[in-house]
Amino acid sequence: MKPLVRVLAAFVWLGLSVLSAEAGISADNQKESAAAFQTLDAAARETRKVGSMPRLSNADQAKVLSRFWNAESTLGNPPYRATDIPGLMTVGERAALVFKSYALFTAQPGGIPDTNVNAAAYQGEISRAGAYLLKVFAAELEAATDFFATLPKEQMNDARRNGLRQMRLGIMQEVTGIALMLRSPDLRPENRRVLLDALTDTAPSIAAATTPLDRQAMVAQVGSLLPALNDEERAKAETLKNAFAGQDCTGLCLISDQ
């Protein structure tokens, strides 16, 4: 899960202070995210006692999970500005923790997680956790784009370039990992749709902040997935592929992190 840590640390390296923000993500959104996370954490503590994590198949637990992954109530709505970054960071930390908790779950404290077993057993929860994480990434990148667009040229230093590089690297590694989940023959159609929809919906924001080289890599990866998809899924994947194949390079795309 190092890519997730890299993304969170990058925002600190950009030189941003962690203050509350009133813009794309409001104070009410942040409070709802915190409350939803606390409720989910409490539910997870209970289910861990019987060797499991909260499940979508359990009606009560599904309500708790759906509340946490409700992007409108916890992330607000675009456009996201630089002032939103602190709030988005906190929401992102929670989203990453939940995603990791399912992917690395083990019934035995201190035990070694079997990620393949978890990916199959909790694929519904992991798919939705991944989809929510993509939405957070897209919002963070939009806010970061505004930050750099309004940053005076003389304040663009090596530390901020390093922060930008780490942020891009971490996010693209996670996006790639989520896209690779589509390869699994055990992934049920409804969960593949969840991932494809999230990847397609967030692709414009993520691609706009991605370097041309990383865009090319994503295009190649998505192209390799196409033969294994049905017609409906392939159409969505083509939309995803086209988003990264675009030649326009503005905003963060124009900024070298070298």
PDB file of all heavy atoms in Angstrom, residues 1 4 37 40 53 68-69 92-105 118 122 125-134 137 174 177-178 181 195:
ATOM      1  N   MET A   1       0.814  -1.212   0.000  1.00  0.00           N
ATOM      2  CA  MET A   1       0.000   0.000   0.000  1.00  0.00           C
ATOM      3  C   MET A   1       0.852   1.268   0.000  1.00  0.00           C
ATOM      4  O   MET A   1       0.383   2.350   0.326  1.00  0.00           O
ATOM      5  CB  MET A   1      -0.953  -0.009   1.206  1.00  0.00           C
ATOM      6  CG  MET A   1      -2.045  -1.052   1.096  1.00  0.00           C
ATOM      7  SD  MET A   1      -3.116  -0.731  -0.320  1.00  0.00           S
ATOM      8  CE  MET A   1      -3.673  -2.370  -0.673  1.00  0.00           C
ATOM      9  N   LEU A   4      -0.434   4.554  -1.721  1.00  0.00           N
ATOM     10  CA  LEU A   4      -1.392   5.374  -0.994  1.00  0.00           C
ATOM     11  C   LEU A   4      -0.674   6.295  -0.018  1.00  0.00           C
ATOM     12  O   LEU A   4      -1.038   7.458   0.138  1.00  0.00           O
ATOM     13  CB  LEU A   4      -2.391   4.475  -0.248  1.00  0.00           C
ATOM     14  CG  LEU A   4      -3.314   3.638  -1.135  1.00  0.00           C
ATOM     15  CD1 LEU A   4      -4.137   2.692  -0.289  1.00  0.00           C
ATOM     16  CD2 LEU A   4      -4.219   4.525  -1.960  1.00  0.00           C
ATOM     17  N   PHE A  37     -17.158   7.279   8.781  1.00  0.00           N
ATOM     18  CA  PHE A  37     -15.979   6.451   9.042  1.00  0.00           C
ATOM     19  C   PHE A  37     -16.022   5.870  10.455  1.00  0.00           C
ATOM     20  O   PHE A  37     -15.705   4.694  10.670  1.00  0.00           O
ATOM     21  CB  PHE A  37     -14.707   7.270   8.855  1.00  0.00           C
ATOM     22  CG  PHE A  37     -13.456   6.493   9.149  1.00  0.00           C
ATOM     23  CD1 PHE A  37     -12.980   5.547   8.253  1.00  0.00           C
ATOM     24  CD2 PHE A  37     -12.763   6.698  10.338  1.00  0.00           C
ATOM     25  CE1 PHE A  37     -11.830   4.813   8.531  1.00  0.00           C
ATOM     26  CE2 PHE A  37     -11.622   5.978  10.616  1.00  0.00           C
ATOM     27  CZ  PHE A  37     -11.153   5.029   9.714  1.00  0.00           C
ATOM     28  N   LEU A  40     -18.453   3.031  10.474  1.00  0.00           N
ATOM     29  CA  LEU A  40     -17.898   1.868   9.788  1.00  0.00           C
ATOM     30  C   LEU A  40     -16.809   1.211  10.628  1.00  0.00           C
ATOM     31  O   LEU A  40     -16.725  -0.018  10.701  1.00  0.00           O
ATOM     32  CB  LEU A  40     -17.336   2.291   8.429  1.00  0.00           C
ATOM     33  CG  LEU A  40     -16.642   1.197   7.601  1.00  0.00           C
ATOM     34  CD1 LEU A  40     -17.537  -0.022   7.432  1.00  0.00           C
ATOM     35  CD2 LEU A  40     -16.221   1.757   6.244  1.00  0.00           C
ATOM     36  N   MET A  53     -15.160  -8.972   7.879  1.00  0.00           N
ATOM     37  CA  MET A  53     -15.288  -7.534   7.715  1.00  0.00           C
ATOM     38  C   MET A  53     -16.743  -7.226   7.373  1.00  0.00           C
ATOM     39  O   MET A  53     -17.482  -8.121   6.952  1.00  0.00           O
ATOM     40  CB  MET A  53     -14.373  -7.046   6.586  1.00  0.00           C
ATOM     41  CG  MET A  53     -12.891  -7.036   6.943  1.00  0.00           C
ATOM     42  SD  MET A  53     -12.450  -5.704   8.083  1.00  0.00           S
ATOM     43  CE  MET A  53     -12.592  -4.253   7.009  1.00  0.00           C
ATOM     44  N   PHE A  68     -20.591   5.456   3.927  1.00  0.00           N
ATOM     45  CA  PHE A  68     -19.193   5.876   3.838  1.00  0.00           C
ATOM     46  C   PHE A  68     -18.792   6.169   2.402  1.00  0.00           C
ATOM     47  O   PHE A  68     -18.026   7.101   2.131  1.00  0.00           O
ATOM     48  CB  PHE A  68     -18.278   4.805   4.431  1.00  0.00           C
ATOM     49  CG  PHE A  68     -16.819   5.165   4.347  1.00  0.00           C
ATOM     50  CD1 PHE A  68     -16.276   6.092   5.223  1.00  0.00           C
ATOM     51  CD2 PHE A  68     -15.999   4.610   3.372  1.00  0.00           C
ATOM     52  CE1 PHE A  68     -14.939   6.458   5.138  1.00  0.00           C
ATOM     53  CE2 PHE A  68     -14.672   4.971   3.276  1.00  0.00           C
ATOM     54  CZ  PHE A  68     -14.131   5.892   4.168  1.00  0.00           C
ATOM     55  N   TRP A  69     -19.294   5.358   1.448  1.00  0.00           N
ATOM     56  CA  TRP A  69     -18.917   5.515   0.044  1.00  0.00           C
ATOM     57  C   TRP A  69     -19.830   6.453  -0.738  1.00  0.00           C
ATOM     58  O   TRP A  69     -19.768   6.503  -1.970  1.00  0.00           O
ATOM     59  CB  TRP A  69     -18.887   4.150  -0.641  1.00  0.00           C
ATOM     60  CG  TRP A  69     -17.770   3.269  -0.158  1.00  0.00           C
ATOM     61  CD1 TRP A  69     -16.516   3.671   0.178  1.00  0.00           C
ATOM     62  CD2 TRP A  69     -17.821   1.855   0.043  1.00  0.00           C
ATOM     63  NE1 TRP A  69     -15.768   2.578   0.575  1.00  0.00           N
ATOM     64  CE2 TRP A  69     -16.532   1.450   0.505  1.00  0.00           C
ATOM     65  CE3 TRP A  69     -18.816   0.879  -0.124  1.00  0.00           C
ATOM     66  CZ2 TRP A  69     -16.232   0.122   0.800  1.00  0.00           C
ATOM     67  CZ3 TRP A  69     -18.508  -0.452   0.175  1.00  0.00           C
ATOM     68  CH2 TRP A  69     -17.236  -0.809   0.634  1.00  0.00           C
ATOM     69  N   GLY A  92      -9.334  11.251   1.887  1.00  0.00           N
ATOM     70  CA  GLY A  92      -8.508  10.279   1.185  1.00  0.00           C
ATOM     71  C   GLY A  92      -7.826   9.303   2.121  1.00  0.00           C
ATOM     72  O   GLY A  92      -7.699   8.105   1.820  1.00  0.00           O
ATOM     73  N   GLU A  93      -7.381   9.777   3.269  1.00  0.00           N
ATOM     74  CA  GLU A  93      -6.769   8.895   4.257  1.00  0.00           C
ATOM     75  C   GLU A  93      -7.758   7.828   4.711  1.00  0.00           C
ATOM     76  O   GLU A  93      -7.407   6.650   4.834  1.00  0.00           O
ATOM     77  CB  GLU A  93      -6.288   9.711   5.455  1.00  0.00           C
ATOM     78  CG  GLU A  93      -5.081  10.581   5.176  1.00  0.00           C
ATOM     79  CD  GLU A  93      -4.754  11.494   6.337  1.00  0.00           C
ATOM     80  OE1 GLU A  93      -5.534  11.511   7.312  1.00  0.00           O
ATOM     81  OE2 GLU A  93      -3.731  12.196   6.276  1.00  0.00           O
ATOM     82  N   ARG A  94      -8.991   8.238   4.940  1.00  0.00           N
ATOM     83  CA  ARG A  94     -10.016   7.276   5.379  1.00  0.00           C
ATOM     84  C   ARG A  94     -10.337   6.282   4.268  1.00  0.00           C
ATOM     85  O   ARG A  94     -10.469   5.078   4.510  1.00  0.00           O
ATOM     86  CB  ARG A  94     -11.280   8.020   5.801  1.00  0.00           C
ATOM     87  CG  ARG A  94     -11.086   8.957   6.986  1.00  0.00           C
ATOM     88  CD  ARG A  94     -12.399   9.622   7.370  1.00  0.00           C
ATOM     89  NE  ARG A  94     -12.191  10.634   8.404  1.00  0.00           N
ATOM     90  CZ  ARG A  94     -12.486  11.916   8.276  1.00  0.00           C
ATOM     91  NH1 ARG A  94     -13.033  12.354   7.149  1.00  0.00           N
ATOM     92  NH2 ARG A  94     -12.258  12.768   9.256  1.00  0.00           N
ATOM     93  N   ALA A  95     -10.469   6.793   3.037  1.00  0.00           N
ATOM     94  CA  ALA A  95     -10.783   5.924   1.908  1.00  0.00           C
ATOM     95  C   ALA A  95      -9.683   4.891   1.692  1.00  0.00           C
ATOM     96  O   ALA A  95      -9.956   3.712   1.429  1.00  0.00           O
ATOM     97  CB  ALA A  95     -10.970   6.760   0.639  1.00  0.00           C
ATOM     98  N   ALA A  96      -8.435   5.328   1.809  1.00  0.00           N
ATOM     99  CA  ALA A  96      -7.300   4.426   1.635  1.00  0.00           C
ATOM    100  C   ALA A  96      -7.272   3.369   2.727  1.00  0.00           C
ATOM    101  O   ALA A  96      -6.977   2.190   2.470  1.00  0.00           O
ATOM    102  CB  ALA A  96      -5.994   5.219   1.632  1.00  0.00           C
ATOM    103  N   LEU A  97      -7.583   3.782   3.949  1.00  0.00           N
ATOM    104  CA  LEU A  97      -7.564   2.840   5.070  1.00  0.00           C
ATOM    105  C   LEU A  97      -8.623   1.759   4.904  1.00  0.00           C
ATOM    106  O   LEU A  97      -8.371   0.572   5.160  1.00  0.00           O
ATOM    107  CB  LEU A  97      -7.778   3.595   6.385  1.00  0.00           C
ATOM    108  CG  LEU A  97      -7.759   2.737   7.658  1.00  0.00           C
ATOM    109  CD1 LEU A  97      -6.433   1.991   7.783  1.00  0.00           C
ATOM    110  CD2 LEU A  97      -7.996   3.613   8.883  1.00  0.00           C
ATOM    111  N   VAL A  98      -9.808   2.146   4.463  1.00  0.00           N
ATOM    112  CA  VAL A  98     -10.875   1.163   4.264  1.00  0.00           C
ATOM    113  C   VAL A  98     -10.507   0.198   3.135  1.00  0.00           C
ATOM    114  O   VAL A  98     -10.675  -1.023   3.259  1.00  0.00           O
ATOM    115  CB  VAL A  98     -12.215   1.870   3.967  1.00  0.00           C
ATOM    116  CG1 VAL A  98     -13.283   0.853   3.541  1.00  0.00           C
ATOM    117  CG2 VAL A  98     -12.687   2.634   5.204  1.00  0.00           C
ATOM    118  N   PHE A  99      -9.997   0.738   2.031  1.00  0.00           N
ATOM    119  CA  PHE A  99      -9.565  -0.112   0.918  1.00  0.00           C
ATOM    120  C   PHE A  99      -8.515  -1.116   1.386  1.00  0.00           C
ATOM    121  O   PHE A  99      -8.587  -2.312   1.097  1.00  0.00           O
ATOM    122  CB  PHE A  99      -8.989   0.777  -0.188  1.00  0.00           C
ATOM    123  CG  PHE A  99      -8.582   0.040  -1.434  1.00  0.00           C
ATOM    124  CD1 PHE A  99      -9.517  -0.272  -2.408  1.00  0.00           C
ATOM    125  CD2 PHE A  99      -7.268  -0.343  -1.636  1.00  0.00           C
ATOM    126  CE1 PHE A  99      -9.150  -0.949  -3.567  1.00  0.00           C
ATOM    127  CE2 PHE A  99      -6.882  -1.016  -2.778  1.00  0.00           C
ATOM    128  CZ  PHE A  99      -7.832  -1.325  -3.753  1.00  0.00           C
ATOM    129  N   LYS A 100      -7.538  -0.639   2.140  1.00  0.00           N
ATOM    130  CA  LYS A 100      -6.463  -1.492   2.641  1.00  0.00           C
ATOM    131  C   LYS A 100      -6.991  -2.525   3.636  1.00  0.00           C
ATOM    132  O   LYS A 100      -6.514  -3.665   3.659  1.00  0.00           O
ATOM    133  CB  LYS A 100      -5.385  -0.626   3.299  1.00  0.00           C
ATOM    134  CG  LYS A 100      -4.190  -1.394   3.824  1.00  0.00           C
ATOM    135  CD  LYS A 100      -3.110  -0.455   4.333  1.00  0.00           C
ATOM    136  CE  LYS A 100      -3.534   0.235   5.608  1.00  0.00           C
ATOM    137  NZ  LYS A 100      -2.419   1.019   6.201  1.00  0.00           N
ATOM    138  N   SER A 101      -7.967  -2.139   4.443  1.00  0.00           N
ATOM    139  CA  SER A 101      -8.494  -3.047   5.457  1.00  0.00           C
ATOM    140  C   SER A 101      -9.123  -4.293   4.836  1.00  0.00           C
ATOM    141  O   SER A 101      -9.023  -5.386   5.390  1.00  0.00           O
ATOM    142  CB  SER A 101      -9.534  -2.322   6.319  1.00  0.00           C
ATOM    143  OG  SER A 101      -8.929  -1.281   7.060  1.00  0.00           O
ATOM    144  N   TYR A 102      -9.765  -4.124   3.681  1.00  0.00           N
ATOM    145  CA  TYR A 102     -10.342  -5.275   2.986  1.00  0.00           C
ATOM    146  C   TYR A 102      -9.273  -6.060   2.222  1.00  0.00           C
ATOM    147  O   TYR A 102      -9.222  -7.292   2.290  1.00  0.00           O
ATOM    148  CB  TYR A 102     -11.442  -4.822   2.023  1.00  0.00           C
ATOM    149  CG  TYR A 102     -12.751  -4.557   2.703  1.00  0.00           C
ATOM    150  CD1 TYR A 102     -13.128  -3.262   3.072  1.00  0.00           C
ATOM    151  CD2 TYR A 102     -13.636  -5.601   2.991  1.00  0.00           C
ATOM    152  CE1 TYR A 102     -14.333  -3.022   3.707  1.00  0.00           C
ATOM    153  CE2 TYR A 102     -14.842  -5.365   3.632  1.00  0.00           C
ATOM    154  CZ  TYR A 102     -15.183  -4.075   3.986  1.00  0.00           C
ATOM    155  OH  TYR A 102     -16.386  -3.833   4.628  1.00  0.00           O
ATOM    156  N   ALA A 103      -8.417  -5.354   1.517  1.00  0.00           N
ATOM    157  CA  ALA A 103      -7.403  -6.031   0.709  1.00  0.00           C
ATOM    158  C   ALA A 103      -6.420  -6.820   1.561  1.00  0.00           C
ATOM    159  O   ALA A 103      -5.954  -7.896   1.153  1.00  0.00           O
ATOM    160  CB  ALA A 103      -6.650  -5.009  -0.137  1.00  0.00           C
ATOM    161  N   LEU A 104      -6.121  -6.309   2.758  1.00  0.00           N
ATOM    162  CA  LEU A 104      -5.125  -6.941   3.619  1.00  0.00           C
ATOM    163  C   LEU A 104      -5.735  -7.574   4.861  1.00  0.00           C
ATOM    164  O   LEU A 104      -5.036  -7.808   5.849  1.00  0.00           O
ATOM    165  CB  LEU A 104      -4.063  -5.909   4.030  1.00  0.00           C
ATOM    166  CG  LEU A 104      -3.290  -5.239   2.887  1.00  0.00           C
ATOM    167  CD1 LEU A 104      -2.262  -4.262   3.446  1.00  0.00           C
ATOM    168  CD2 LEU A 104      -2.620  -6.283   2.005  1.00  0.00           C
ATOM    169  N   PHE A 105      -7.003  -7.893   4.795  1.00  0.00           N
ATOM    170  CA  PHE A 105      -7.676  -8.473   5.954  1.00  0.00           C
ATOM    171  C   PHE A 105      -7.105  -9.841   6.313  1.00  0.00           C
ATOM    172  O   PHE A 105      -6.785 -10.655   5.445  1.00  0.00           O
ATOM    173  CB  PHE A 105      -9.178  -8.621   5.693  1.00  0.00           C
ATOM    174  CG  PHE A 105      -9.905  -9.353   6.795  1.00  0.00           C
ATOM    175  CD1 PHE A 105     -10.133  -8.731   8.008  1.00  0.00           C
ATOM    176  CD2 PHE A 105     -10.318 -10.667   6.620  1.00  0.00           C
ATOM    177  CE1 PHE A 105     -10.781  -9.398   9.035  1.00  0.00           C
ATOM    178  CE2 PHE A 105     -10.970 -11.346   7.643  1.00  0.00           C
ATOM    179  CZ  PHE A 105     -11.208 -10.712   8.853  1.00  0.00           C
ATOM    180  N   ASN A 118      -8.732 -12.660  -0.246  1.00  0.00           N
ATOM    181  CA  ASN A 118      -9.502 -11.454   0.059  1.00  0.00           C
ATOM    182  C   ASN A 118     -10.114 -10.845  -1.195  1.00  0.00           C
ATOM    183  O   ASN A 118     -11.259 -10.389  -1.181  1.00  0.00           O
ATOM    184  CB  ASN A 118      -8.608 -10.416   0.745  1.00  0.00           C
ATOM    185  CG  ASN A 118      -8.229 -10.815   2.160  1.00  0.00           C
ATOM    186  OD1 ASN A 118      -8.898 -11.633   2.778  1.00  0.00           O
ATOM    187  ND2 ASN A 118      -7.149 -10.239   2.663  1.00  0.00           N
ATOM    188  N   TYR A 122     -14.021 -10.705  -0.834  1.00  0.00           N
ATOM    189  CA  TYR A 122     -14.536  -9.357  -0.591  1.00  0.00           C
ATOM    190  C   TYR A 122     -14.557  -8.516  -1.862  1.00  0.00           C
ATOM    191  O   TYR A 122     -14.425  -7.293  -1.821  1.00  0.00           O
ATOM    192  CB  TYR A 122     -13.668  -8.653   0.465  1.00  0.00           C
ATOM    193  CG  TYR A 122     -13.764  -9.276   1.836  1.00  0.00           C
ATOM    194  CD1 TYR A 122     -12.705 -10.015   2.357  1.00  0.00           C
ATOM    195  CD2 TYR A 122     -14.906  -9.119   2.620  1.00  0.00           C
ATOM    196  CE1 TYR A 122     -12.777 -10.592   3.617  1.00  0.00           C
ATOM    197  CE2 TYR A 122     -14.997  -9.694   3.880  1.00  0.00           C
ATOM    198  CZ  TYR A 122     -13.921 -10.425   4.373  1.00  0.00           C
ATOM    199  OH  TYR A 122     -14.007 -10.992   5.621  1.00  0.00           O
ATOM    200  N   GLU A 125     -16.963  -5.483  -1.907  1.00  0.00           N
ATOM    201  CA  GLU A 125     -16.533  -4.387  -1.052  1.00  0.00           C
ATOM    202  C   GLU A 125     -15.267  -3.721  -1.597  1.00  0.00           C
ATOM    203  O   GLU A 125     -15.154  -2.491  -1.600  1.00  0.00           O
ATOM    204  CB  GLU A 125     -16.285  -4.903   0.370  1.00  0.00           C
ATOM    205  CG  GLU A 125     -17.533  -5.365   1.108  1.00  0.00           C
ATOM    206  CD  GLU A 125     -18.005  -6.767   0.706  1.00  0.00           C
ATOM    207  OE1 GLU A 125     -17.229  -7.477   0.029  1.00  0.00           O
ATOM    208  OE2 GLU A 125     -19.137  -7.145   1.064  1.00  0.00           O
ATOM    209  N   ILE A 126     -14.311  -4.525  -2.071  1.00  0.00           N
ATOM    210  CA  ILE A 126     -13.066  -3.970  -2.609  1.00  0.00           C
ATOM    211  C   ILE A 126     -13.336  -3.165  -3.879  1.00  0.00           C
ATOM    212  O   ILE A 126     -12.733  -2.103  -4.100  1.00  0.00           O
ATOM    213  CB  ILE A 126     -12.046  -5.092  -2.872  1.00  0.00           C
ATOM    214  CG1 ILE A 126     -11.564  -5.676  -1.530  1.00  0.00           C
ATOM    215  CG2 ILE A 126     -10.861  -4.581  -3.672  1.00  0.00           C
ATOM    216  CD1 ILE A 126     -10.642  -6.873  -1.674  1.00  0.00           C
ATOM    217  N   SER A 127     -14.245  -3.644  -4.707  1.00  0.00           N
ATOM    218  CA  SER A 127     -14.583  -2.917  -5.933  1.00  0.00           C
ATOM    219  C   SER A 127     -15.162  -1.547  -5.604  1.00  0.00           C
ATOM    220  O   SER A 127     -14.788  -0.531  -6.216  1.00  0.00           O
ATOM    221  CB  SER A 127     -15.577  -3.715  -6.774  1.00  0.00           C
ATOM    222  OG  SER A 127     -15.006  -4.929  -7.224  1.00  0.00           O
ATOM    223  N   ARG A 128     -16.037  -1.499  -4.641  1.00  0.00           N
ATOM    224  CA  ARG A 128     -16.654  -0.219  -4.286  1.00  0.00           C
ATOM    225  C   ARG A 128     -15.693   0.686  -3.520  1.00  0.00           C
ATOM    226  O   ARG A 128     -15.731   1.907  -3.679  1.00  0.00           O
ATOM    227  CB  ARG A 128     -17.936  -0.480  -3.499  1.00  0.00           C
ATOM    228  CG  ARG A 128     -19.069  -0.930  -4.423  1.00  0.00           C
ATOM    229  CD  ARG A 128     -20.132  -1.765  -3.740  1.00  0.00           C
ATOM    230  NE  ARG A 128     -21.116  -2.217  -4.726  1.00  0.00           N
ATOM    231  CZ  ARG A 128     -20.919  -3.250  -5.557  1.00  0.00           C
ATOM    232  NH1 ARG A 128     -19.779  -3.931  -5.523  1.00  0.00           N
ATOM    233  NH2 ARG A 128     -21.855  -3.612  -6.419  1.00  0.00           N
ATOM    234  N   ALA A 129     -14.820   0.078  -2.737  1.00  0.00           N
ATOM    235  CA  ALA A 129     -13.790   0.868  -2.064  1.00  0.00           C
ATOM    236  C   ALA A 129     -12.841   1.467  -3.095  1.00  0.00           C
ATOM    237  O   ALA A 129     -12.435   2.630  -2.982  1.00  0.00           O
ATOM    238  CB  ALA A 129     -13.015  -0.008  -1.074  1.00  0.00           C
ATOM    239  N   GLY A 130     -12.497   0.687  -4.123  1.00  0.00           N
ATOM    240  CA  GLY A 130     -11.631   1.179  -5.191  1.00  0.00           C
ATOM    241  C   GLY A 130     -12.306   2.270  -6.003  1.00  0.00           C
ATOM    242  O   GLY A 130     -11.674   3.265  -6.379  1.00  0.00           O
ATOM    243  N   ALA A 131     -13.586   2.101  -6.276  1.00  0.00           N
ATOM    244  CA  ALA A 131     -14.335   3.095  -7.045  1.00  0.00           C
ATOM    245  C   ALA A 131     -14.399   4.422  -6.294  1.00  0.00           C
ATOM    246  O   ALA A 131     -14.225   5.504  -6.881  1.00  0.00           O
ATOM    247  CB  ALA A 131     -15.742   2.580  -7.333  1.00  0.00           C
ATOM    248  N   TYR A 132     -14.613   4.354  -4.989  1.00  0.00           N
ATOM    249  CA  TYR A 132     -14.663   5.581  -4.180  1.00  0.00           C
ATOM    250  C   TYR A 132     -13.294   6.242  -4.137  1.00  0.00           C
ATOM    251  O   TYR A 132     -13.178   7.471  -4.240  1.00  0.00           O
ATOM    252  CB  TYR A 132     -15.134   5.237  -2.761  1.00  0.00           C
ATOM    253  CG  TYR A 132     -15.256   6.432  -1.852  1.00  0.00           C
ATOM    254  CD1 TYR A 132     -16.278   7.360  -2.022  1.00  0.00           C
ATOM    255  CD2 TYR A 132     -14.353   6.623  -0.805  1.00  0.00           C
ATOM    256  CE1 TYR A 132     -16.397   8.454  -1.176  1.00  0.00           C
ATOM    257  CE2 TYR A 132     -14.471   7.711   0.044  1.00  0.00           C
ATOM    258  CZ  TYR A 132     -15.495   8.620  -0.145  1.00  0.00           C
ATOM    259  OH  TYR A 132     -15.601   9.711   0.694  1.00  0.00           O
ATOM    260  N   LEU A 133     -12.244   5.435  -4.021  1.00  0.00           N
ATOM    261  CA  LEU A 133     -10.892   5.962  -3.987  1.00  0.00           C
ATOM    262  C   LEU A 133     -10.560   6.699  -5.284  1.00  0.00           C
ATOM    263  O   LEU A 133      -9.905   7.748  -5.267  1.00  0.00           O
ATOM    264  CB  LEU A 133      -9.902   4.821  -3.749  1.00  0.00           C
ATOM    265  CG  LEU A 133      -8.484   5.174  -3.297  1.00  0.00           C
ATOM    266  CD1 LEU A 133      -8.503   6.030  -2.035  1.00  0.00           C
ATOM    267  CD2 LEU A 133      -7.694   3.890  -3.046  1.00  0.00           C
ATOM    268  N   LEU A 134     -11.015   6.177  -6.404  1.00  0.00           N
ATOM    269  CA  LEU A 134     -10.805   6.856  -7.685  1.00  0.00           C
ATOM    270  C   LEU A 134     -11.462   8.237  -7.687  1.00  0.00           C
ATOM    271  O   LEU A 134     -10.898   9.207  -8.209  1.00  0.00           O
ATOM    272  CB  LEU A 134     -11.365   6.015  -8.832  1.00  0.00           C
ATOM    273  CG  LEU A 134     -10.571   4.768  -9.214  1.00  0.00           C
ATOM    274  CD1 LEU A 134     -11.391   3.898 -10.173  1.00  0.00           C
ATOM    275  CD2 LEU A 134      -9.233   5.137  -9.852  1.00  0.00           C
ATOM    276  N   PHE A 137      -9.281  10.533  -5.734  1.00  0.00           N
ATOM    277  CA  PHE A 137      -8.107  10.900  -6.526  1.00  0.00           C
ATOM    278  C   PHE A 137      -8.445  11.991  -7.542  1.00  0.00           C
ATOM    279  O   PHE A 137      -7.690  12.952  -7.717  1.00  0.00           O
ATOM    280  CB  PHE A 137      -7.552   9.682  -7.266  1.00  0.00           C
ATOM    281  CG  PHE A 137      -6.839   8.692  -6.392  1.00  0.00           C
ATOM    282  CD1 PHE A 137      -6.716   7.366  -6.791  1.00  0.00           C
ATOM    283  CD2 PHE A 137      -6.288   9.061  -5.178  1.00  0.00           C
ATOM    284  CE1 PHE A 137      -6.046   6.454  -6.007  1.00  0.00           C
ATOM    285  CE2 PHE A 137      -5.622   8.141  -4.373  1.00  0.00           C
ATOM    286  CZ  PHE A 137      -5.493   6.830  -4.794  1.00  0.00           C
ATOM    287  N   GLU A 174      -2.017   3.333  -8.146  1.00  0.00           N
ATOM    288  CA  GLU A 174      -3.295   2.849  -7.632  1.00  0.00           C
ATOM    289  C   GLU A 174      -4.314   2.680  -8.756  1.00  0.00           C
ATOM    290  O   GLU A 174      -5.063   1.706  -8.797  1.00  0.00           O
ATOM    291  CB  GLU A 174      -3.833   3.809  -6.566  1.00  0.00           C
ATOM    292  CG  GLU A 174      -3.095   3.745  -5.252  1.00  0.00           C
ATOM    293  CD  GLU A 174      -3.116   2.360  -4.633  1.00  0.00           C
ATOM    294  OE1 GLU A 174      -4.154   1.682  -4.709  1.00  0.00           O
ATOM    295  OE2 GLU A 174      -2.088   1.962  -4.073  1.00  0.00           O
ATOM    296  N   GLY A 177      -3.425  -0.419 -10.562  1.00  0.00           N
ATOM    297  CA  GLY A 177      -3.807  -1.597  -9.784  1.00  0.00           C
ATOM    298  C   GLY A 177      -5.298  -1.878  -9.834  1.00  0.00           C
ATOM    299  O   GLY A 177      -5.721  -3.033  -9.946  1.00  0.00           O
ATOM    300  N   ILE A 178      -6.089  -0.815  -9.767  1.00  0.00           N
ATOM    301  CA  ILE A 178      -7.543  -0.986  -9.834  1.00  0.00           C
ATOM    302  C   ILE A 178      -7.952  -1.474 -11.218  1.00  0.00           C
ATOM    303  O   ILE A 178      -8.813  -2.351 -11.363  1.00  0.00           O
ATOM    304  CB  ILE A 178      -8.249   0.332  -9.462  1.00  0.00           C
ATOM    305  CG1 ILE A 178      -8.049   0.607  -7.961  1.00  0.00           C
ATOM    306  CG2 ILE A 178      -9.736   0.266  -9.790  1.00  0.00           C
ATOM    307  CD1 ILE A 178      -8.514   1.981  -7.515  1.00  0.00           C
ATOM    308  N   MET A 181      -7.516  -5.146 -11.741  1.00  0.00           N
ATOM    309  CA  MET A 181      -8.530  -6.000 -11.133  1.00  0.00           C
ATOM    310  C   MET A 181      -9.517  -6.505 -12.179  1.00  0.00           C
ATOM    311  O   MET A 181     -10.138  -7.560 -12.004  1.00  0.00           O
ATOM    312  CB  MET A 181      -9.271  -5.233 -10.028  1.00  0.00           C
ATOM    313  CG  MET A 181      -8.419  -4.921  -8.810  1.00  0.00           C
ATOM    314  SD  MET A 181      -9.209  -3.743  -7.661  1.00  0.00           S
ATOM    315  CE  MET A 181     -10.693  -4.646  -7.207  1.00  0.00           C
ATOM    316  N   LEU A 195     -16.237  -0.989 -11.264  1.00  0.00           N
ATOM    317  CA  LEU A 195     -14.882  -0.510 -11.508  1.00  0.00           C
ATOM    318  C   LEU A 195     -14.770   0.242 -12.834  1.00  0.00           C
ATOM    319  O   LEU A 195     -14.155   1.316 -12.908  1.00  0.00           O
ATOM    320  CB  LEU A 195     -13.902  -1.676 -11.489  1.00  0.00           C
ATOM    321  CG  LEU A 195     -13.673  -2.330 -10.121  1.00  0.00           C
ATOM    322  CD1 LEU A 195     -12.791  -3.557 -10.263  1.00  0.00           C
ATOM    323  CD2 LEU A 195     -13.060  -1.338  -9.138  1.00  0.00           C
TER     324      LEU A 195
END
